[in-house]
Protein backbone atom coordinates (compact mmCIF):
# COMPACT_ATOMS: atom_id res chain seq x y z
CA UNK A 1 0.00 0.00 0.00
CA UNK A 2 1.13 3.61 -0.37
CA UNK A 3 3.04 4.62 2.73
CA UNK A 4 0.69 7.58 3.17
CA UNK A 5 -2.13 5.09 3.78
CA UNK A 6 -0.23 3.08 6.40
CA UNK A 7 -1.96 3.19 9.77
CA UNK A 8 -1.07 1.90 13.20
CA UNK A 9 -3.83 -0.71 13.01
CA UNK A 10 -2.16 -2.12 9.89
CA UNK A 11 1.13 -2.63 11.76
CA UNK A 12 -0.68 -4.25 14.68
CA UNK A 13 -2.42 -6.58 12.26
CA UNK A 14 0.85 -7.59 10.63
CA UNK A 15 2.36 -8.38 14.02
CA UNK A 16 -0.72 -10.31 15.12
CA UNK A 17 -0.61 -12.46 11.97
CA UNK A 18 2.95 -13.46 12.90
CA UNK A 19 2.17 -14.47 16.48
CA UNK A 20 3.69 -17.90 15.87
CA UNK A 21 6.94 -16.25 14.72
CA UNK A 22 7.53 -13.51 17.29
CA UNK A 23 11.19 -12.88 16.51
CA UNK A 24 10.49 -12.67 12.77
CA UNK A 25 7.70 -10.18 13.55
CA UNK A 26 10.09 -8.05 15.56
CA UNK A 27 12.67 -8.03 12.77
CA UNK A 28 9.99 -7.09 10.23
CA UNK A 29 8.90 -4.19 12.44
CA UNK A 30 12.51 -2.94 12.50
CA UNK A 31 12.63 -3.00 8.68
CA UNK A 32 9.28 -1.21 8.37
CA UNK A 33 10.49 1.50 10.74
CA UNK A 34 13.51 2.11 8.53
CA UNK A 35 11.20 2.55 5.57
CA UNK A 36 9.02 4.96 7.57
CA UNK A 37 12.09 7.05 8.41
CA UNK A 38 12.79 7.42 4.69
CA UNK A 39 9.16 8.43 4.10
CA UNK A 40 9.38 11.04 6.87
CA UNK A 41 12.65 12.38 5.50
CA UNK A 42 11.17 12.64 1.99
CA UNK A 43 8.07 14.34 3.49
CA UNK A 44 5.74 11.73 2.04
CA UNK A 45 4.16 11.43 5.51
CA UNK A 46 4.02 13.76 8.52
CA UNK A 47 3.62 11.26 11.37
CA UNK A 48 5.16 7.92 12.30
CA UNK A 49 2.45 5.23 12.63
CA UNK A 50 4.93 2.96 14.43
CA UNK A 51 5.69 5.53 17.17
CA UNK A 52 6.16 3.71 20.50
CA UNK A 53 4.78 0.51 19.00
CA UNK A 54 6.63 -2.24 20.84
CA UNK A 55 7.05 -5.88 20.15
CA UNK A 56 9.49 -7.66 22.37
CA UNK A 57 9.00 -11.44 22.49
CA UNK A 58 10.06 -13.21 25.63
CA UNK A 59 13.74 -14.11 25.49
CA UNK A 60 14.49 -17.60 26.74
CA UNK A 61 18.12 -17.68 25.69
CA UNK A 62 20.10 -20.67 24.50
CA UNK A 63 19.01 -24.01 25.92
CA UNK A 64 21.53 -25.81 28.13
CA UNK A 65 21.82 -29.52 27.42
CA UNK A 66 20.61 -31.72 30.31
CA UNK A 67 22.45 -34.94 31.15
CA UNK A 68 19.88 -37.03 29.25
CA UNK A 69 20.40 -35.06 26.02
CA UNK A 70 24.17 -35.27 26.28
CA UNK A 71 24.05 -39.01 26.91
CA UNK A 72 21.75 -39.48 23.94
CA UNK A 73 24.05 -37.51 21.64
CA UNK A 74 27.17 -39.31 22.86
CA UNK A 75 25.52 -42.69 22.34
CA UNK A 76 24.62 -41.83 18.74
CA UNK A 77 27.99 -40.20 17.98
CA UNK A 78 30.83 -42.10 19.68
CA UNK A 79 34.39 -40.89 20.07
CA UNK A 80 36.13 -40.88 16.70
CA UNK A 81 33.27 -39.28 14.78
CA UNK A 82 33.21 -35.69 13.52
CA UNK A 83 30.00 -34.78 15.38
CA UNK A 84 31.61 -35.88 18.63
CA UNK A 85 34.66 -33.66 17.99
CA UNK A 86 32.45 -30.60 17.40
CA UNK A 87 30.39 -31.42 20.47
CA UNK A 88 33.45 -31.92 22.69
CA UNK A 89 35.16 -28.69 21.60
CA UNK A 90 31.99 -26.67 22.17
CA UNK A 91 31.21 -28.28 25.53
CA UNK A 92 34.55 -28.72 27.25
CA UNK A 93 36.06 -25.44 26.05
CA UNK A 94 32.88 -23.34 26.12
CA UNK A 95 33.67 -22.13 22.59
CA UNK A 96 31.40 -20.20 20.29
CA UNK A 97 30.85 -21.72 16.86
CA UNK A 98 33.35 -19.38 15.19
CA UNK A 99 36.03 -20.45 17.63
CA UNK A 100 35.16 -24.13 17.21
CA UNK A 101 35.65 -24.08 13.43
CA UNK A 102 38.86 -22.04 13.57
CA UNK A 103 40.77 -24.01 16.23
CA UNK A 104 43.99 -25.44 14.78
CA UNK A 105 46.15 -28.31 16.06
CA UNK A 106 48.81 -25.70 16.90
CA UNK A 107 46.49 -24.38 19.59
CA UNK A 108 47.16 -27.54 21.61
CA UNK A 109 50.07 -26.91 23.97
CA UNK A 110 50.67 -30.02 26.04
CA UNK A 111 47.76 -30.30 28.46
CA UNK A 112 46.50 -26.83 27.63
CA UNK A 113 44.84 -25.24 24.66
CA UNK A 114 45.30 -21.63 23.59
CA UNK A 115 42.38 -19.72 22.10
CA UNK A 116 41.90 -16.19 20.84
CA UNK A 117 38.17 -15.57 20.84
CA UNK A 118 36.91 -14.30 17.53
CA UNK A 119 34.13 -12.17 19.02
CA UNK A 120 36.13 -10.40 21.74
CA UNK A 121 39.75 -10.89 20.63
CA UNK A 122 40.43 -12.10 24.15
CA UNK A 123 43.24 -14.69 24.51
CA UNK A 124 42.43 -17.67 26.75
CA UNK A 125 44.54 -20.55 28.04
CA UNK A 126 42.40 -23.49 29.14
CA UNK A 127 43.22 -26.88 30.60
CA UNK A 128 42.38 -29.86 28.43
CA UNK A 129 40.03 -31.91 30.59
CA UNK A 130 40.22 -35.72 30.53
CA UNK A 131 36.88 -35.72 28.69
CA UNK A 132 38.27 -33.56 25.89
CA UNK A 133 41.64 -35.34 25.85
CA UNK A 134 39.89 -38.65 25.18
CA UNK A 135 38.26 -37.16 22.09
CA UNK A 136 41.39 -35.37 20.84
CA UNK A 137 43.47 -38.55 21.15
CA UNK A 138 41.08 -40.23 18.69
CA UNK A 139 41.07 -37.27 16.27
CA UNK A 140 43.21 -36.72 13.17
CA UNK A 141 45.21 -33.60 14.07
CA UNK A 142 47.07 -33.26 10.78
CA UNK A 143 45.31 -29.96 10.06
CA UNK A 144 44.42 -27.48 8.85
CA UNK A 145 41.89 -27.34 11.71
CA UNK A 146 41.01 -29.71 14.53
CA UNK A 147 37.45 -30.03 13.21
CA UNK A 148 37.27 -30.97 9.54
CA UNK A 149 34.63 -31.85 6.97
CA UNK A 150 34.53 -35.20 5.20
CA UNK A 151 36.76 -33.58 2.56
CA UNK A 152 39.40 -32.61 5.12
CA UNK A 153 38.55 -28.91 4.98
CA UNK A 154 37.49 -26.49 7.74
CA UNK A 155 33.81 -25.92 8.37
CA UNK A 156 32.34 -22.45 8.09
CA UNK A 157 30.48 -21.22 11.16
CA UNK A 158 27.18 -21.25 9.27
CA UNK A 159 27.64 -24.74 7.84
CA UNK A 160 28.55 -26.11 11.28
CA UNK A 161 25.28 -24.76 12.69
CA UNK A 162 23.37 -26.61 9.99
CA UNK A 163 25.32 -29.81 10.46
CA UNK A 164 24.80 -29.68 14.23
CA UNK A 165 21.05 -29.49 13.63
CA UNK A 166 21.34 -32.62 11.45
CA UNK A 167 23.45 -34.44 14.04
CA UNK A 168 21.11 -33.69 16.94
CA UNK A 169 18.12 -34.76 14.83
CA UNK A 170 19.88 -38.01 13.98
CA UNK A 171 20.45 -38.53 17.71
CA UNK A 172 16.71 -38.22 18.31
CA UNK A 173 16.91 -34.85 20.03
CA UNK A 174 14.21 -32.21 19.49
CA UNK A 175 15.09 -28.85 17.91
CA UNK A 176 16.77 -26.32 20.19
CA UNK A 177 19.93 -28.16 21.22
CA UNK A 178 22.69 -26.07 19.68
CA UNK A 179 26.44 -25.51 19.81
CA UNK A 180 25.92 -22.33 21.83
CA UNK A 181 23.72 -24.33 24.17
CA UNK A 182 26.79 -26.46 24.97
CA UNK A 183 28.66 -23.28 25.94
CA UNK A 184 25.79 -22.48 28.29
CA UNK A 185 25.95 -26.05 29.59
CA UNK A 186 29.59 -25.61 30.63
CA UNK A 187 28.71 -22.34 32.37
CA UNK A 188 25.96 -24.12 34.29
CA UNK A 189 28.32 -26.95 35.24
CA UNK A 190 30.94 -24.48 36.45
CA UNK A 191 28.43 -22.70 38.67
CA UNK A 192 26.95 -25.91 40.06
CA UNK A 193 30.46 -27.15 40.77
CA UNK A 194 31.10 -24.10 42.96
CA UNK A 195 33.16 -21.97 40.55
CA UNK A 196 33.28 -18.27 41.37
CA UNK A 197 31.89 -15.66 39.02
CA UNK A 198 35.44 -14.65 38.07
CA UNK A 199 36.36 -18.27 37.34
CA UNK A 200 33.33 -18.57 35.06
CA UNK A 201 34.31 -15.34 33.28
CA UNK A 202 37.89 -16.46 32.70
CA UNK A 203 36.82 -19.90 31.47
CA UNK A 204 34.14 -18.76 29.04
CA UNK A 205 35.86 -15.51 28.13
CA UNK A 206 33.05 -13.20 29.22
CA UNK A 207 34.02 -9.55 29.42
CA UNK A 208 30.79 -8.57 31.18
CA UNK A 209 30.39 -9.84 34.75
CA UNK A 210 26.61 -9.82 34.39
CA UNK A 211 26.71 -12.72 31.94
CA UNK A 212 28.73 -14.87 34.33
CA UNK A 213 26.55 -13.92 37.29
CA UNK A 214 23.53 -15.42 35.53
CA UNK A 215 25.03 -18.88 35.99
CA UNK A 216 26.07 -18.19 39.58
CA UNK A 217 22.66 -16.86 40.61
CA UNK A 218 20.84 -19.82 39.08
CA UNK A 219 23.08 -22.34 40.83
CA UNK A 220 22.97 -20.41 44.11
CA UNK A 221 19.17 -20.28 44.03
CA UNK A 222 18.97 -24.04 43.56
CA UNK A 223 21.44 -24.75 46.36
CA UNK A 224 19.84 -22.29 48.79
CA UNK A 225 16.34 -23.56 48.03
CA UNK A 226 17.47 -27.15 48.54
CA UNK A 227 19.12 -26.35 51.87
CA UNK A 228 16.09 -24.34 52.94
CA UNK A 229 13.65 -27.15 52.22
CA UNK A 230 15.89 -29.63 54.00
CA UNK A 231 15.69 -27.36 57.04
CA UNK A 232 11.90 -27.45 56.79
CA UNK A 233 11.96 -31.25 56.63
CA UNK A 234 14.13 -31.39 59.76
CA UNK A 235 11.79 -28.97 61.54
CA UNK A 236 8.71 -31.00 60.68
CA UNK A 237 10.40 -34.29 61.57
CA UNK A 238 11.54 -32.83 64.92
CA UNK A 239 8.02 -31.63 65.72
CA UNK A 240 6.60 -35.07 65.08
CA UNK A 241 9.13 -36.67 67.41
CA UNK A 242 8.28 -34.19 70.18
CA UNK A 243 4.55 -34.83 69.71
CA UNK A 244 5.14 -38.53 69.96
Amino acid sequence: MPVADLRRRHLKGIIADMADRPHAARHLLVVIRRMILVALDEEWIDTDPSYKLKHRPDYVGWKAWPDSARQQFEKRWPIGTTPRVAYALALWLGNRRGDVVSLTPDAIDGEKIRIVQGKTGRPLVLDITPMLREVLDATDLSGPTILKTAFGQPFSAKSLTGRMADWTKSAGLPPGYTLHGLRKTLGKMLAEGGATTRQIMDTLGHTDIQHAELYSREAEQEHLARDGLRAVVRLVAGGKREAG
Side-chain angles (χ1 to χ4, degrees):
M1 66 173 72
V3 68
D5 295 337
L6 184 62
R7 297 291 181 267
R8 195 173 186 81
R9 64 178 181 274
H10 298 141
L11 294 177
K12 289 182 176 180
I14 291 172
I15 292 173
D17 288 342
M18 299 177 70
D20 59 334
R21 294 169 290 156
H23 291 281
R26 182 183 180 187
H27 291 315
L28 179 59
L29 183 57
V30 170
V31 173
I32 291 175
R33 279 195 168 124
R34 290 174 180 166
M35 296 168 65
I36 289 172
L37 287 175
V38 173
L40 287 167
D41 187 61
E42 295 290 339
E43 298 184 352
W44 297 334
I45 56 176
D46 297 321
T47 59
D48 180 0
S50 70
Y51 179 67
K52 288 190 176 181
L53 183 63
K54 297 181 179 179
H55 183 67
R56 296 182 178 178
D58 293 336
Y59 176 70
V60 297
W62 302 98
K63 182 189 301 184
W65 293 43
D67 290 345
S68 58
R70 290 190 287 111
Q71 291 168 2
Q72 195 168 328
F73 188 90
E74 292 173 5
K75 182 178 180 180
R76 171 63 182 87
W77 301 109
I79 290 174
T81 61
T82 298
R84 187 62 171 270
V85 177
Y87 164 90
L89 291 174
L91 175 58
W92 302 121
L93 294 176
N95 275 226
R96 297 179 179 88
R97 64 175 187 172
D99 299 324
V100 169
V101 298
S102 63
L103 271 176
T104 66
D106 292 341
I108 301 173
D109 184 6
E111 293 306 310
K112 298 184 182 296
I113 194 161
R114 299 179 181 275
I115 303 168
V116 177
Q117 290 190 319
K119 181 177 181 179
T120 65
R122 183 178 180 183
L124 298 176
V125 180
L126 302 173
D127 285 350
I128 298 176
T129 61
M131 298 80 75
L132 179 57
R133 171 54 68 188
E134 187 178 18
V135 173
L136 292 177
D137 285 346
T139 301
D140 174 15
L141 298 177
S142 61
T145 52
I146 295 176
L147 181 65
K148 296 185 288 294
T149 68
F151 302 101
Q153 298 300 313
F155 282 90
S156 69
K158 186 175 181 179
S159 67
L160 182 58
T161 296
R163 295 299 293 134
M164 193 65 181
D166 294 337
W167 296 332
T168 53
K169 182 178 180 180
S170 178
L173 296 175
Y177 291 105
T178 63
L179 278 169
H180 205 89
L182 291 170
R183 173 175 164 82
K184 185 171 182 179
T185 303
L186 179 60
K188 190 170 184 291
M189 287 181 174
L190 288 165
E192 291 175 349
T196 65
T197 299
R198 186 53 192 256
Q199 286 172 331
I200 295 172
M201 287 182 66
D202 285 342
T203 300
L204 299 181
H206 286 308
T207 55
D208 185 347
I209 194 171
Q210 292 181 348
H211 284 87
E213 284 180 339
L214 291 175
Y215 300 110
S216 300
R217 284 199 298 268
E218 183 177 335
E220 184 179 13
Q221 181 277 323
E222 183 177 347
H223 294 157
L224 290 175
R226 180 191 60 209
D227 293 343
L229 288 173
R230 286 177 177 175
V232 171
V233 171
R234 290 194 298 270
L235 178 65
V236 172
K240 289 181 178 180
R241 284 196 296 271
E242 291 178 4

